[in-house]
Amino acid sequence: MKIICSKNSLLKSVSISLKAVPSKTTMPILECILIDASASQIKFTTNDMELGIETIVEGTIVERGIVALDAKIFYEIIRRLPDNDVTIVTDDKFTATITCEKAKFNIPGKSGEDFAYLPLIEREESLTISQYTLKEMIRQTIFSIAVNENNKLMT
């Protein structure tokens, strides 16, 4: 896989996706961000089995591929890069090489096949409501949420 993106678009997508990376897990693949450049667009996906986030990154796909990289390490590298185009290249052993100007980093990756994909949601009918109506609906029901996080569904 080989992709080229601007640092700003990468950083924006990674920081959004990072919200669904669990701090502690028994499945190491969930600590990763899935970079999917196998179709016509670059997608970043994270999933903690309760919350899943998928973002689309603007960039150029030179060579198609898919890889899972440690999300926190990837974020720290992207955050410290200079403001320029970033090139991400992976080899057949899933090692990612991130280059930007004179900076060059190698991160061991994992196969994207083990990653927990997000469920496909079919959108046959859509619902449109005003911002005010949604805000009122939330305001009228927010009193009933749980205050502790023992059961995340109740929060």
Side-chain angles (χ1 to χ4, degrees), residues 13 15 24 49 51 62-63 73 75 79 85 103 141 152:
S13 293
S15 61
K24 296 177 184 175
M49 302 307 268
L51 171 68
V62 179
E63 186 179 323
I73 293 172
Y75 172 73
R79 192 170 66 88
D85 284 346
T141 58
K152 289 202 177 213

Side-chain angles (χ1 to χ4, degrees), residues 2-141:
K2 182 176 182 180
I3 58 173
I4 302 169
C5 305
S6 70
K7 179 214 173 180
N8 292 334
S9 64
L10 270 177
L11 189 60
K12 182 181 175 185
S13 293
V14 172
S15 61
I16 291 169
S17 298
L18 205 59
K19 292 176 175 65
V21 175
S23 56
K24 296 177 184 175
T25 182
T26 56
M27 297 172 59
I29 194 72
L30 296 181
E31 294 175 344
C32 294
I33 185 167
L34 182 71
I35 303 172
D36 185 356
S38 60
S40 60
Q41 55 191 3
I42 305 166
K43 291 182 188 177
F44 285 2
T45 307
T46 53
N47 190 356
D48 69 356
M49 302 307 268
E50 289 182 12
L51 171 68
I53 298 177
E54 181 178 270
T55 59
I56 296 173
V57 185
E58 293 181 21
T60 307
I61 301 171
V62 179
E63 186 179 323
R64 297 181 190 277
I66 187 168
V67 69
L69 301 176
D70 186 287
K72 292 186 172 107
I73 293 172
F74 185 60
Y75 172 73
E76 289 299 321
I77 288 172
I78 298 299
R79 192 170 66 88
R80 290 187 168 92
L81 289 174
D83 290 333
N84 208 334
D85 284 346
V86 179
T87 304
I88 302 171
V89 180
T90 59
D91 60 12
D92 56 344
K93 295 178 183 174
F94 303 109
T95 302
T97 304
I98 302 168
T99 54
C100 182
E101 292 182 4
K102 294 181 180 179
K104 182 177 180 181
F105 298 92
N106 291 321
I107 305 176
K110 298 176 183 169
S111 169
E113 304 299 321
D114 301 334
F115 197 81
Y117 283 93
L118 301 179
L120 182 64
I121 300 171
E122 295 180 19
R123 298 179 189 165
E124 293 178 9
E125 295 181 30
S126 65
L127 174 68
T128 305
I129 60 173
S130 71
Q131 176 183 358
Y132 175 77
T133 305
L134 179 62
K135 184 177 176 182
E136 274 301 301
M137 290 168 54
I138 293 170
R139 188 188 66 74
Q140 290 177 16
T141 58

